[in-house]
Amino acid sequence: MKKNIAAFFDIDGTLYREGLITEVFKKMIKYEIIEPEKWYNDVRQDFEKWDRRQGDYDTYLLKMIDIYMEAIKGLNKYQIEFIAKRVIEQKGDRVYTFTRDRIKWHKEQGHILITVSGSPIELVKEMSLKHGFDDFRGAEYVLDENGQYTGDVIPMWDSESKEKAIKELQEKYDIDLEKSYAYGDTAGDYTMLSKVGNPYAMNPTNELLRKILSDKELSERINIIVERKDVTYNLNVENIQFE
């Protein structure tokens, strides 16, 4: 029996043009779940470093996740689901042209479309439904018996978690990974990219590029895509240089 072909997409920085957790963070400040001082005192410095390209995105992201984990303690699931719906309704179309077109192409080929993202599962679900994905995996924030968040999390932003998710999805859908596709932008996507025959690094971070270039087998088949304004570039691995 013929196996299925899948396309695995990271969301933040790969499909969505920024980080969905940032939009949730803003909404939680607006709804007075997170104090504005948390942004000004705890996050802004790391954001500004990243914005000036003097710091890395992961540091900024993980700082927000720490505050998010603390802020949702005791909240009910429906509260975060409400915020997730509002975020995707308002921001869900802020996607890259390249990945949007690739989603359309994969649908035309009859491929199974799956998101594997480090964003909260409530956000990942809404974004996946909006763009017609068949399945999704995201960071799961643990609920107690009353349906309230405990502050604990089962992550999906690191390579190990994504590798585990790919294996589980491969078995669930009987996927031929050698013929499948993956799209990611950070070091957390490295194993996801390395597991498929057709990997795409979308606007990759410095750390991801270094991992790719140190992996001879992966570097020989990787597609490196950079989208700026209304132009998409397909870069040659051999021409990449680091400062």
Side-chain angles (χ1 to χ4, degrees), residues 34-49:
I34 294 176
E35 297 175 354
E37 290 76 17
K38 289 289 186 182
W39 170 264
Y40 293 108
N41 298 333
D42 298 338
V43 178
R44 185 174 63 176
Q45 184 177 2
D46 289 312
F47 167 75
E48 289 177 348
K49 284 182 179 179

Side-chain angles (χ1 to χ4, degrees), residues 24-209:
V24 171
F25 201 91
K26 293 175 184 176
K27 277 281 188 289
M28 292 176 78
I29 291 175
K30 178 180 178 181
Y31 296 143
E32 300 182 349
I33 297 171
I34 294 176
E35 297 175 354
E37 290 76 17
K38 289 289 186 182
W39 170 264
Y40 293 108
N41 298 333
D42 298 338
V43 178
R44 185 174 63 176
Q45 184 177 2
D46 289 312
F47 167 75
E48 289 177 348
K49 284 182 179 179
W50 169 72
D51 194 45
R52 295 193 301 265
R53 300 303 187 261
Q54 295 173 343
D56 63 89
Y57 178 74
D58 285 346
T59 300
Y60 158 55
L61 176 66
L62 291 173
K63 184 67 69 67
M64 279 193 297
I65 289 173
D66 285 343
I67 296 172
Y68 176 83
M69 288 171 61
E70 184 64 30
I72 65 173
K73 280 184 182 179
L75 294 184
N76 286 296
K77 185 178 182 181
Y78 73 83
Q79 292 173 280
I80 298 301
E81 288 177 335
F82 172 82
I83 292 173
K85 287 180 183 292
R86 297 290 83 77
V87 166
I88 301 307
E89 285 173 1
Q90 296 169 16
K91 302 289 186 175
D93 288 317
R94 294 192 74 240
V95 299
Y96 286 109
T97 300
F98 176 80
T99 38
R100 183 186 62 210
D101 291 346
R102 293 300 292 177
I103 288 169
K104 181 176 182 291
W105 181 81
H106 284 297
K107 288 179 181 178
E108 292 171 349
Q109 307 311 307
H111 298 164
I112 298 171
L113 284 165
I114 303 170
T115 53
V116 183
S117 170
S119 280
I121 192 70
E122 296 84 0
L123 273 169
V124 175
K125 175 183 177 182
E126 294 301 324
M127 194 68 168
S128 299
L129 291 174
K130 178 176 179 61
H131 292 281
F133 283 82
D134 299 298
D135 206 339
F136 54 88
R137 296 292 183 274
E140 296 189 35
Y141 290 81
V142 180
L143 297 164
D144 63 18
E145 64 275 8
N146 298 315
Q148 296 178 322
Y149 292 99
T150 66
D152 295 323
V153 62
I154 303 170
M156 189 57 69
W157 53 74
D158 58 287
S159 265
E160 184 178 346
S161 298
K162 291 197 175 187
E163 182 176 15
K164 184 178 178 181
I166 295 296
K167 184 177 180 181
E168 184 257 317
L169 289 160
Q170 178 189 15
E171 294 174 357
K172 179 178 178 180
Y173 291 103
D174 192 25
I175 293 170
D176 184 343
L177 291 179
E178 186 61 33
K179 295 181 179 179
S180 292
Y181 299 74
Y183 303 81
D185 70 312
T186 68
D189 299 312
Y190 170 72
T191 53
M192 184 171 76
L193 296 172
S194 67
K195 292 295 181 183
V196 301
N198 303 286
Y200 286 77
M202 178 68 186
N203 291 333
T205 62
N206 185 299
E207 186 180 2
L208 176 58
L209 274 179

